[in-house]
Amino acid sequence: MTETTTAAVGDRVVHKQFPAISRHRLALYCGASGDHNPIHVDIDFAKASGFPDVFSHGMLVMGYLGQALSDAFPPDRIRAFSTRFSAITQVGAELTCEGTIAELFEAGGERRARLTLTTKDQHGETKLAGEAVVALS
Amino acid sequence: MVDQSAVGRRFTPVTAQVEPGRLRYFFETLGESNPVYRDAAAATAACYRGIPIPPTYLFCLEMLDNEKSFEFLTALDIDLGRVLHGEQSFVYHAPVVVGDTLTFSPRVASVTDKKGGAMTLIVVETAVTNQDGVHVADTARTIVVRNG
């Protein structure tokens, strides 16, 4: 967990790597999330829609980033969390999630930090770019 | 093609239960091992009133308990194979724990054409309240529709 009393702008406070995303993982995530869009599991549907293969739910990728975030900050300290899905995440992607402190400020009677977040695959391609606001104390 | 007449449109509110078994399945799927999510005693020791939910799980609950899956896509006549998730945001106002019952109230906030109409961005904002009427969160999703 992040030592919140000494937090400084530029600190890397979130860092976690995840295993390669398998087709099985995509099938599990359909059930876990209620998102049954066949584009994530049915290659015939994906091809008919103009894609070469199935690809990951954006929210599975954001779920990994959320896990990296709440490893560093308990969920009740997370005030906001947002991402832009920059690129499709392919089967086999090995994701690394990173977060650094971009700003320290006070709001709602709390010391808060704004974090800049990214998720990249093993080739360094950015899949998600996001930010979060967390309470430090 | 979706036009400005969709803005302000509201969809059927979704009532969702935060069920422990389904949440455990989500954790298994993502390889989540944080004890605060997996162990009620650890959650209580950390001063939660129950097992908390992970940051993105509100999105799942709205889909899991929606009686009309993809209602807003069918209502707006959007082909499922032509949509991509462009952006997602969550603002958390109060904790949500296992056992809570949430109500999700979605509405179309904006419709924007991009690239000369080749794509349309649709923003759906959802207010989330719990069983005590507490406004626990606001979520927003941006859906990208490929029109070509």
Side-chain angles (χ1 to χ4, degrees):
Chain A
M1 198 169 298
T2 301
E3 178 49 66
T4 57
T5 54
T6 59
V9 170
D11 285 357
R12 186 180 79 166
V13 289
V14 174
H15 174 72
K16 191 164 190 177
Q17 292 178 281
F18 294 92
I21 293 176
S22 63
R23 293 171 196 279
H24 180 230
R25 188 81 56 192
L26 298 183
L28 291 175
Y29 191 76
C30 283
S33 67
D35 182 349
H36 298 166
N37 186 339
I39 208 147
H40 302 300
V41 286
D42 182 340
I43 194 168
D44 300 328
F45 184 89
K47 286 183 172 173
S49 301
F51 295 96
D53 197 353
V54 299
F55 55 90
S56 176
H57 306 72
M59 291 306 293
L60 171 58
V61 183
M62 190 177 187
Y64 282 133
L65 182 58
Q67 185 181 135
L69 178 63
S70 71
D71 276 5
F73 298 94
D76 63 343
R77 287 180 177 252
I78 302 170
R79 300 287 174 259
F81 180 32
S82 62
T83 59
R84 187 174 69 251
F85 300 100
S86 316
I88 282 172
T89 301
Q90 290 86 1
V91 172
E94 297 168 26
L95 300 176
T96 300
C97 300
E98 303 268 6
T100 57
I101 295 179
E103 182 189 1
L104 295 166
F105 61 102
E106 304 229 349
E110 297 175 325
R111 287 177 63 237
R112 293 183 181 178
R114 184 181 312 282
L115 312 180
T116 300
L117 304 167
T118 61
T119 299
K120 296 181 179 181
D121 69 5
Q122 67 272 36
H123 308 299
E125 185 180 35
T126 299
K127 301 301 185 182
L128 295 191
E131 64 172 51
V133 173
V134 297
L136 296 175
S137 60
Chain B
M1 207 159 112
V2 180
D3 61 36
Q4 294 298 319
S5 66
V7 175
R9 183 153 179 181
R10 291 175 183 278
F11 302 106
T12 313
V14 175
T15 301
Q17 306 279 344
V18 186
E19 296 173 10
R22 287 195 319 200
L23 185 55
R24 202 158 49 240
Y25 177 36
F26 180 86
F27 292 144
E28 292 300 322
T29 297
L30 274 92
E32 175 64 78
S33 60
N34 188 338
V36 79
Y37 294 126
R38 305 297 299 248
D39 177 354
T44 305
C47 297
Y48 292 90
R49 65 184 164 83
I51 299 256
I53 63 167
T56 62
Y57 198 60
L58 289 171
F59 185 94
C60 304
L61 286 166
E62 186 180 356
M63 294 200 88
L64 284 163
D65 277 329
N66 196 334
E67 288 180 19
K68 302 175 184 173
S69 284
F70 302 113
E71 179 192 6
F72 95 89
L73 296 180
T74 48
L76 301 179
D77 195 23
I78 298 167
D79 179 357
L80 191 56
R82 307 204 69 83
V83 300
L84 292 169
H85 201 164
E87 296 180 26
Q88 180 67 40
S89 75
F90 300 91
V91 179
Y92 311 99
H93 306 302
V96 175
V97 299
V98 166
D100 283 352
T101 301
L102 304 179
T103 302
F104 295 78
S105 304
R107 63 180 278 277
V108 177
S110 68
V111 173
T112 311
D113 284 330
K114 293 282 183 188
K115 299 189 178 177
M119 295 192 304
T120 304
L121 306 188
I122 303 167
V123 177
V124 177
E125 294 179 348
T126 302
V128 190
T129 54
N130 71 10
Q131 65 279 3
D132 300 318
V134 176
H135 182 192
V136 295
D138 289 292
T139 77
R141 70 184 73 181
T142 303
I143 299 299
V144 180
V145 185
R146 298 178 296 137
N147 295 316

